[in-house]
Amino acid sequence: MCGLTILCCQTQASAEGRPSFALAVHGRAEKMFDIVTDRCAEADLPDVNARAFRAADGSIAMFALQFEARALRGPDLGRLKIDCRLALGSHEDADPAKYDGRRYITSTWTNDGLHVAALIHDEYHADIHPGRCKVADPLGCWWNTILSFRSEDGGKSFTPSAPLVVAATPFTQDVEQGRHRGFFNPSNMFFKDGYVYAFTSTTGWTGQKPGACLIRNANPLDSAGWRGWDGHAFDVRWSDPYTSSTGRQQAACAPVEPFGFPVGAVVRHRPSGQFLALWEAPRVPGKFATTGFYYATSKDLLHWSAPMLLVATAISHAPCGDNGANSDGWINTYPSLLDDKAEGRNFDNVGDEAWLYYARIKNVGCNPAGQRILMRQRVSIKPNGK
């Protein structure tokens, strides 16, 4: 599975109070894509948070599948069918400097529906390449990088941007093996005050705290423009460790509380102008009371409310539940929020209702490796106390 399955531990968050909104799931869940009946190829598995944009012709394009990336397309969010054309492939190249491991389209942005910027979650698995992995645990040789790709044809195909690397470790994949390393699972891109933002997560290393880091760019099609928040300003700029001589001099980004785990989606609530974040987390004493989907709200993207539970459910971070109670059961993972009535092309805002999109995956024992379905269900968004 994509890097969302990797626990990103963090100290307890400092809360800003309860969320400004109360979210509630209602109605029946709807099946949007089933690998049994709807896929073009074996690799067409729901495996990332659903991202959508409006193409130049008014149709909708959504990316929610695995590292052989194909879009779901249709006239609206409720009528999307898979486009069997491959938008971005992956070759699991043994050379990590090529950044062609398992490449997931995890975030998109377009101003015109034709030229599309994408943030790519690239996984390098050294354990599948002889001589590249020094430890027995596959997770210990998992190295992640965030890349920039672009499309000139409305998301039908993507090519690498220059520079390619958006966020990376200051060391090559063979360093600090023994645990998962790098930046992974960008949120959707979203707009505020002249910039396009996204969150990206890191497991951290010496000099870099783990958590969710906020990045921004005035123009996502200009891959050189991405900068990360360092706790004072957006001054962090990452480089390619295979071509840069800066090494350990790389500045660190400052994780934003209270997430601790990859941020699934951030949207602006149109009636209030506030931002709403959604993510999944396992039970963490003192921070997350139970395993499930959580949300928080913010006015400025840096200071967030305390987390609030939306749905209690088994997730990819804790698929088997307590004492193996969910062995061979189902999990729900990769949450996202999309509103049919969103303003603009990028579905980065919602009204008082939205769709909760998520992947439903069958466990094989305690491994989420069985049947997969992309689902959605209605969510109401009301001011707290009403």
Side-chain angles (χ1 to χ4, degrees), residues 26-30 355 375-378:
H26 58 88
R28 297 187 55 154
E30 301 179 7
W355 289 104
M375 306 289 294
R376 73 173 187 175
Q377 195 166 359
R378 296 299 287 176

Side-chain angles (χ1 to χ4, degrees), residues 314-354:
I315 61 172
S316 57
H317 301 283
C320 223
D322 293 337
N323 301 315
N326 197 43
S327 178
D328 293 324
W330 291 84
I331 71 165
N332 298 314
T333 186
Y334 305 121
S336 187
L337 285 175
L338 299 170
D339 178 6
D340 302 272
K341 300 177 182 178
E343 297 173 349
R345 293 189 178 275
N346 295 289
F347 292 93
D348 64 335
N349 57 89
V350 296
D352 290 331
E353 277 199 330

